[in-house]
């Protein structure tokens, strides 16, 4: 062991205070991210209050029981130990569950009846596609790879392992998973929307580089399978508009 380490006497570390946690968020440049989430909850609670949306004691109890079951907090001792580990009180925990329940109720209140129509008019956005990808930075290299795939019948997996700069696609031999069409970068979503299974698409340029894609499989989405996704999409759009409006009002 180096002599310097042998002489080093470390102080006893006390649990961080709330003030120390806030200071950490500031100097680690995470304060704005957490503040935005807090402002989101404030907006949700205000909207629920105005609309008369509430949570009954029975609903809160049932959600608490479900939470404990999910996290294997089967007894009082396990629950208290978990709360201590999280450095929160029973009241903090209950409030978190309450906000989660109110958020779900607000989603349903605002957009529950609009889901069917939105799904019908935007059905293509909720198609799911299994995609493989090779991501490179250079156009010449991208064209070379596309040529190898289309003309020379090259192995997509082998080329992804050799050339892809995308971490996920490089680790998984090109496969990047199953995605909703609406989740993809706009340039990619537009390019693959009409592609057939097995078709190679690209190179497509985005801010990340040049993408060579292969559509592995399309999945038709029934509303019952994607209802929560549609509801969340509508709700997030509303939140962004509401928060932007509030910020704009403050700046005027």
């Amino acid at each position: 062991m180096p002599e310097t380490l042998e002489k080093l006497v470390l102080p006893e570390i006390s649990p961080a205070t709330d003030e120390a946690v806030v200071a950490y968020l500031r100097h680690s440049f995470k304060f704005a991210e957490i503040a935005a989430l807090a402002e989101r909850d404030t907006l949700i609670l205000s909207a629920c209050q105005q609309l008369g949306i509430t949570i009954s004691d029975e609903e809160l109890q049932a959600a608490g029981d479900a939470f404990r079951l999910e996290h294997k907090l089967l007894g009082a001792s396990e629950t208290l130990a978990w709360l201590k580990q999280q450095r929160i009180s029973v009241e903090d925990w209950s409030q978190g569950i309450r906000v989660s329940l109110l958020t779900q109720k607000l989603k349903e209140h605002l957009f529950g009846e609009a889901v069917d129509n939105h799904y019908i008019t935007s059905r293509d956005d909720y198609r799911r596609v299994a995609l493989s990808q090779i991501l490179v930075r250079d156009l010449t290299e991208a064209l070379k790879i596309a040529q190898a795939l289309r003309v020379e019948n090259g192995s997509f997996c082998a080329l992804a392992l050799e050339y892809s700069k995308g971490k996920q696609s490089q680790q998984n031999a090109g496969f990047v998973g199953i995605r909703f069409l609406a989740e993809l970068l706009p340039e990619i979503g537009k390019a693959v929307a009409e592609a057939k299974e097995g078709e190679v698409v690209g190179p497509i340029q985005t801010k990340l580089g040049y993408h060579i894609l292969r559509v592995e499989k399309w999945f038709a989405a029934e509303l019952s399978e994607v209802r929560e996704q549609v509801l969340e999409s509508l709700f997030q759009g509303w939140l962004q508009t509401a928060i932007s409006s509030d910020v704009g009002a403050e700046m005027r």
Side-chain angles (χ1 to χ4, degrees):
M1 180 182 294
E3 184 178 347
T4 303
L5 288 178
E6 290 180 351
K7 294 180 179 180
L8 183 64
V9 179
L10 294 174
E12 183 178 344
I13 304 298
S14 301
T17 63
D18 289 356
E19 291 76 12
V21 173
V22 171
Y24 170 79
L25 291 174
R26 289 186 185 280
H27 69 239
S28 61
F29 318 120
K30 297 178 181 178
F31 190 87
E33 175 186 348
I34 302 303
L37 294 174
E39 290 157 5
R40 171 187 181 274
D41 280 1
T42 298
L43 177 62
I44 288 169
L45 293 175
S46 175
C48 287
Q49 184 176 24
Q50 292 179 54
L51 295 169
I53 299 172
T54 59
I55 301 298
S56 69
D57 291 341
E58 292 77 13
E59 290 173 317
L60 190 61
Q61 180 66 49
D65 291 344
F67 182 96
R68 285 193 294 271
L69 184 61
E70 180 183 353
H71 292 81
K72 297 181 172 58
L73 308 175
L74 304 180
S77 60
E78 290 92 344
T79 301
L80 291 173
W82 181 84
L83 291 171
K84 183 178 180 180
Q85 182 185 43
Q86 297 298 317
R87 304 188 191 186
I88 62 175
S89 66
V90 173
E91 290 74 21
D92 295 328
W93 175 55
S94 296
Q95 178 65 1
I97 293 175
R98 179 173 172 269
V99 171
S100 179
L101 289 172
L102 286 170
T103 300
Q104 189 60 36
K105 279 196 172 185
L106 181 60
K107 287 181 192 179
E108 288 289 350
H109 182 90
L110 294 176
F111 301 110
E113 294 182 0
V115 167
D116 286 6
N117 185 60
H118 179 79
Y119 172 73
I120 290 170
T121 57
S122 308
R123 185 188 298 267
D124 281 351
D125 287 344
Y126 297 99
R127 284 193 298 161
R128 290 173 297 169
V129 59
L131 276 179
S132 291
Q133 170 182 270
I134 299 171
L135 173 64
V136 295
R137 309 293 184 225
D138 181 70
L139 177 58
T140 302
E141 188 173 50
L143 292 170
K144 175 184 173 183
I145 294 168
Q147 170 82 1
L149 290 168
R150 290 195 177 100
V151 180
E152 301 167 18
N153 200 28
S155 166
F156 200 101
C157 294
L159 289 167
L161 289 169
E162 182 176 357
Y163 292 104
S164 186
K165 302 301 188 291
K167 182 178 179 181
Q168 185 179 13
S169 59
Q170 209 282 334
Q171 289 178 343
N172 298 313
F175 187 64
V176 291
I178 299 172
R179 301 284 188 270
F180 286 102
L181 202 58
E183 292 177 339
L184 301 175
L185 291 171
E187 303 94 323
I188 292 177
K190 182 178 180 181
V192 304
E194 303 302 324
K196 298 179 176 60
E197 292 182 1
E199 184 176 343
V200 173
V201 179
I204 305 298
Q205 183 179 12
T206 73
K207 60 185 179 182
L208 301 176
Y210 294 91
H211 306 251
I212 302 96
L213 305 144
R214 184 171 67 189
V215 174
E216 304 294 353
K217 186 174 178 60
W218 283 104
F219 300 87
E222 298 297 330
L223 178 58
S224 59
E225 298 174 324
V226 298
R227 187 179 189 279
E228 282 303 314
Q229 171 80 12
V230 177
L231 191 62
E232 181 67 16
S233 175
L234 293 170
F235 186 64
Q236 288 301 323
W238 174 79
L239 278 176
Q240 291 173 14
T241 300
I243 291 171
S244 297
S245 297
D246 285 348
V247 171
E250 290 179 3
M251 295 177 65
R252 287 196 290 271

